[in-house]
Amino acid sequence: ISDLGLSICQHYNIRIGSIMIVMNIVENVSLRKHSAMRLGGETRFFAEAASEDELKKLVDWAKEQVVPIVVIGEGSNIIWRDEGFSGLVISNRITDRQVLDEDDNHMTIRVGAGEVWDSVVEWTVKKDLSGIEFLSAIPGLAGAAPIQNIGAYGAEISQSLVELSALDTHSDDFITIKNKACGFGYRTSRFKTSDKGRFIITSITLRLNKAGPAPPFYESLEAYFKKHKIKSYTPRTIREAVIAIRAIKLPSPAKVANNGSFFTNPIIPKNEFAKLQQKYPDIKGWPHGDNVKVSAGWLLEEAGFKGVHDEETGMATWPAQALVLVNEHANTTTDLLAFKQKIQTKIYQMFGIVLGQEPELLP
């Protein structure tokens, strides 16, 4: 036992049935280190899995010990409760990059769940492939991308994903799940809803285009291209534009404690949006099927939450983007949730809209 009260088991002998195996498991680990918001309690056990074999052994051990498991990446979209977690947190570090197939128009690649997402995007852009360049500079690992169905500037991971591989913790088998079976929606999937916690993603397979991206683009991208007199649209120019725009609007989680955009853009019926337009002519929204996707950032700015510093909770909103909640000197997740509630209450009072939280609250 160290002076910090941590029991570090560098060679942890664990019996699964009649088989003795060795794994590295750390006890009583602060979860603040594993969330970009840097809040939360402790986990009873923590381990990293660098292969499917290690992952399977850790899951088997947890079942033998009758302790729950949570699998994470870098923690960029995670908020931990103050109570901590009584089970095993597994950090997925399975890496792999392969070109599986290629023809005149497309290239299909497979990426390990533990790969840094933005490094994967950079890798594909260097190959002059189009499809995920709009998702540049999104924090996190590749395995988390389908869970959240990450998206930006009109693109979503679901548009490029062919299938994924995962460990089914119900059957203890490694399986393949096709795109149509993932239950993708706006910033969601079956892995976040109906089957939350069941599947541990180990790799994703993407089909990318050799043809370059074509306009029209999102308003902010169009403005960037116009300002910089860019008329040639390639995966590289899109990536450079996205990185530049995000650098202005969003703080780096490595430097400022935040989870990126904290609220999703609410989707409301067209008639409700029309009523809001009568009262707020400048309200921003985009067609979304038979509904309208409303700009959550506009709602927060209109409600006066841009660049707010809340001394009571120690939380703030980022000056360049009100959607980003920043931990300035909050001590607990309770502080964060209290600040979140202040925002949600005022937005509902003004617009009759309930804002949904994007980062996942665990466990």
Side-chain angles (χ1 to χ4, degrees):
I1 306 295
S2 71
D3 293 338
L4 296 177
L6 301 181
S7 174
I8 302 176
C9 312
Q10 293 297 336
H11 300 288
Y12 206 112
N13 294 319
I14 297 169
R15 182 175 297 279
I16 299 177
S18 60
I19 302 173
M20 187 69 73
I21 61 175
V22 177
M23 284 184 290
N24 297 332
I25 295 179
V26 185
E27 295 184 63
N28 305 323
V29 172
S30 172
L31 290 168
R32 292 178 179 231
K33 303 174 183 177
H34 301 284
S35 168
M37 193 62 82
R38 304 201 249 292
L39 294 170
E42 290 187 345
T43 180
R44 182 70 179 89
F45 300 104
F46 178 87
E48 293 185 350
S51 67
E52 288 188 346
D53 182 59
E54 289 182 2
L55 176 63
K56 182 67 166 57
K57 288 175 180 177
L58 287 167
V59 171
D60 287 345
W61 174 79
K63 289 185 176 182
E64 285 272 333
Q65 300 301 311
V66 196
V67 296
I69 62 171
V70 168
V71 180
I72 66 170
E74 290 188 322
S76 58
N77 208 42
I78 291 173
I79 302 166
W80 295 101
R81 297 183 189 273
D82 295 321
E83 305 85 71
F85 184 52
S86 60
L88 169 65
V89 172
I90 302 173
S91 178
N92 192 334
R93 298 293 168 177
I94 301 173
T95 58
D96 180 38
R97 293 184 191 181
Q98 292 186 45
V99 175
L100 300 181
D101 189 33
E102 182 177 6
D103 58 30
D104 292 340
N105 301 313
H106 302 93
M107 182 181 290
T108 302
I109 63 170
R110 182 168 62 213
V111 178
E115 292 280 353
V116 174
W117 173 252
D118 192 55
S119 295
V120 172
V121 178
E122 182 183 34
W123 178 58
T124 64
V125 167
K126 286 181 177 179
K127 292 181 177 294
D128 205 29
L129 298 172
S130 179
I132 58 174
E133 66 272 29
F134 295 92
L135 310 182
S136 293
I138 294 179
L141 303 184
I147 297 174
Q148 186 73 10
N149 188 18
I150 59 172
Y153 303 101
E156 294 180 333
I157 186 67
S158 57
Q159 296 167 341
S160 298
L161 187 131
V162 177
E163 62 187 26
L164 57 83
S165 299
L167 173 62
D168 183 347
T169 60
H170 287 189
S171 66
D172 289 331
D173 295 322
F174 286 98
I175 64 171
T176 298
I177 302 176
K178 298 292 184 181
N179 181 300
K180 289 184 178 180
C182 291
F184 286 125
Y186 172 60
R187 299 296 180 273
T188 193
S189 68
R190 66 185 287 194
F191 313 111
K192 188 178 177 181
T193 54
S194 60
D195 283 316
K196 181 179 178 180
R198 174 177 174 178
F199 299 102
I200 303 174
I201 297 172
T202 56
S203 70
I204 62 174
T205 299
L206 307 174
R207 187 171 186 256
L208 303 176
N209 303 312
K210 291 186 176 181
F217 301 116
Y218 252 48
E219 181 181 346
S220 55
L221 279 176
E222 293 279 12
Y224 181 92
F225 293 142
K226 184 177 181 180
K227 179 181 178 180
H228 293 84
K229 299 180 180 178
I230 296 172
K231 297 181 180 180
S232 175
Y233 308 119
T234 67
R236 184 176 298 278
T237 58
I238 295 291
R239 174 170 167 79
E240 289 173 349
V242 169
I243 290 174
I245 294 169
R246 288 180 68 93
I248 294 171
K249 290 186 175 182
L250 304 172
S252 168
K255 298 178 180 179
V256 179
N258 78 97
N259 290 115
S261 295
F262 197 87
F263 299 105
T264 57
N265 292 321
I267 298 171
I268 64 174
K270 289 181 179 178
N271 63 325
E272 290 186 17
F273 185 73
K275 291 178 182 178
L276 287 172
Q277 275 184 313
Q278 293 177 1
K279 188 174 182 180
Y280 305 99
D282 296 330
I283 189 171
K284 289 186 178 180
W286 309 274
H288 188 81
D290 294 330
N291 301 302
V292 177
K293 185 190 296 182
V294 183
S295 168
W298 185 93
L299 296 176
L300 265 70
E301 287 193 33
E302 185 70 14
F305 282 109
K306 189 173 183 178
V308 167
H309 302 271
D310 189 66
E311 292 302 321
E312 182 182 0
T313 62
M315 295 296 301
T317 56
W318 192 243
Q321 175 52 272
L323 274 181
V324 178
L325 272 55
V326 172
N327 175 9
E328 290 191 320
H329 53 82
N331 294 315
T332 65
T333 301
T334 300
D335 292 329
L336 164 63
L337 297 180
F339 183 57
K340 177 196 78 168
Q341 188 61 54
K342 289 182 181 182
I343 295 174
Q344 288 178 317
T345 298
K346 188 168 183 180
I347 295 300
Y348 183 75
Q349 290 172 344
M350 289 183 64
F351 308 104
I353 290 175
V354 177
L355 284 180
Q357 177 178 313
E358 186 162 338
E360 186 177 8
L361 182 63
L362 293 174

